[in-house]
Amino acid sequence: MNKPKIGLALGSGVARGWTHIGVLRALRQEGIEPDIICGTSIGALVGGAYLSGHLDTLEDWACGLTKRGLMKYLDLRFTGGGLIGGKRFESLYKESLGDTNIEDLDRPFAAIATDLATGHEVWLQDGRLESAIRASYALPGVFSPVKREGRWLVDGALVNPVPVSVCRALGAHVVIAVNLNADIAGRAQVSGYTNGNGGEEGSGSDLTQTKNAPQQHTSVNPTNLLMRQIFGHSRSRPSTVNVMIGALNIIQDRLSRSRFAGDPPDVHVLPLVGHIGLLEFDRAKEAIAEGERSMLANMPFVQQAVQLLS
């Protein structure tokens, strides 16, 4: 038999998805290049950047993120089906990914999305790469849906959080699955909206103090106040976005378990990233390091699976 094709299924996980960068670094370090890459949500973002030759650019951007710096990419809106329009992220992708089409990549790639009208699983395998990525991570209620070929598409984590089945359908003999939602200890771990000094905002006392002190004519930016109410949290009450993302995390964890029971991967990589909050995009260095560590720990299983099919 010829050398077996290796498929890499990169799962969803919001900010924990930077872990995938470390996984790809570890595979390359060991001389392994996946023949097929399929990604859901942030897994699609990292996988697409890798195949288009822009992984270094994405890593540099991710490692340079701060909590305050992230806020400039959040174009808040109240129309269009999501709190965040995504135009600022879109401009970032266009700068790094250009006009790349999926069919022009040198290896098969699929981004997983969900048809909002039917609930069907959608495999995006052609057309603009940045559009497919945006559709795959369009978290309902947070990011606006993306319209492609007459369908409104949202986050693929609703139907296939770790796309093992897609890798197999595209011809992979050995499937490596990277599951970012198996660390139970951190299932409810979410981040708050913090101020520039690193302190937590959005707490009940902070908002109460603002409301009860109208005589203090300090400059309060209405947008910042709204951001605190939506993204901020207190010890007694999570924020709106934390509730939405936390609920999705539970759904995709349960769905992943069910799908793995029927179609288990050949190598199941389980990075320990539960301590990283779902919105803590500024912790990329930690996530990347854990991705590299966990993938290297699983390399003997990859080599064994490849040998069995060679």
Side-chain angles (χ1 to χ4, degrees):
M1 183 177 178
N2 295 327
K3 180 179 177 295
K5 291 184 178 179
I6 297 176
L8 183 62
L10 301 177
S12 57
V14 200
R16 296 169 186 167
W18 299 140
T19 305
H20 296 316
I21 297 176
V23 168
L24 287 162
R25 294 293 188 209
L27 286 171
R28 177 165 285 181
Q29 179 181 325
E30 295 295 315
I32 295 177
E33 290 282 348
D35 301 287
I36 297 163
I37 296 182
C38 300
T40 297
S41 196
I42 196 166
L45 169 60
V46 176
Y50 176 77
L51 289 180
S52 62
H54 295 94
L55 190 65
D56 290 341
T57 302
L58 180 64
E59 182 175 359
D60 290 343
W61 178 76
C63 290
L65 275 178
T66 62
K67 284 184 171 63
R68 178 178 287 274
L70 180 63
M71 290 300 154
K72 70 180 182 180
Y73 292 101
L74 305 182
D75 46 340
L76 203 61
R77 58 187 293 180
F78 296 99
T79 58
L83 292 172
I84 301 171
K87 291 295 183 182
R88 296 176 187 174
F89 278 113
E90 181 182 350
S91 63
L92 176 69
Y93 297 153
K94 285 181 177 179
E95 289 177 9
S96 58
L97 300 179
D99 294 327
T100 305
N101 289 322
I102 296 176
E103 55 267 36
D104 295 332
L105 300 175
D106 63 354
R107 278 164 280 179
F109 170 77
I112 316 307
T114 304
D115 188 321
L116 188 59
T118 64
H120 291 166
E121 181 176 334
V122 179
W123 300 355
L124 301 174
Q125 302 176 72
D126 54 33
R128 295 283 295 277
L129 177 60
E130 55 88 14
S131 173
I133 290 171
R134 284 195 297 116
S136 187
Y137 75 64
L139 180 65
V142 178
F143 288 102
S144 298
V146 175
K147 193 171 187 179
R148 280 178 60 112
E149 299 178 359
R151 295 185 292 186
W152 287 105
L153 304 179
V154 294
D155 200 320
L158 295 173
V159 289
N160 198 349
V162 188
V164 172
S165 58
V166 187
C167 285
R168 293 204 190 283
L170 296 185
H173 302 111
V174 174
V175 177
I176 303 169
V178 186
N179 182 5
L180 305 179
N181 301 297
D183 193 353
I184 297 176
R187 183 176 298 163
Q189 189 84 352
V190 287
S191 69
Y193 174 54
T194 59
N195 59 30
N197 298 322
E200 181 181 315
E201 294 194 10
S203 66
S205 59
D206 183 38
L207 293 178
T208 302
Q209 188 176 28
T210 301
K211 293 176 181 178
N212 294 340
Q215 70 279 9
Q216 296 179 358
H217 297 286
T218 55
S219 58
V220 178
N221 187 318
T223 301
N224 287 342
L225 183 59
L226 189 60
M227 292 284 277
R228 276 185 271 167
Q229 292 173 334
I230 294 173
F231 292 93
H233 72 289
S234 66
R235 293 180 181 178
S236 61
R237 185 185 300 273
S239 73
T240 302
V241 170
N242 282 342
V243 171
M244 294 168 64
I245 294 181
L248 176 64
N249 200 38
I250 294 170
I251 291 170
Q252 61 190 7
D253 175 40
R254 297 297 179 179
L255 183 56
S256 295
R257 293 168 186 259
S258 175
R259 297 198 66 139
F260 285 148
D263 189 10
D266 299 286
V267 180
H268 196 175
V269 182
L270 301 169
L272 300 177
V273 288
H275 63 287
I276 297 176
L278 295 170
L279 299 177
E280 292 181 325
F281 289 94
D282 56 307
R283 299 178 68 177
K285 291 181 180 179
E286 288 179 65
I288 293 170
E290 173 56 22
E292 187 171 356
R293 185 208 64 78
S294 58
M295 189 66 252
L296 289 175
N298 279 276
M299 283 309 303
F301 303 110
V302 175
Q303 294 164 351
Q304 182 181 43
V306 170
Q307 289 174 1
L308 285 173
L309 292 174
S310 296

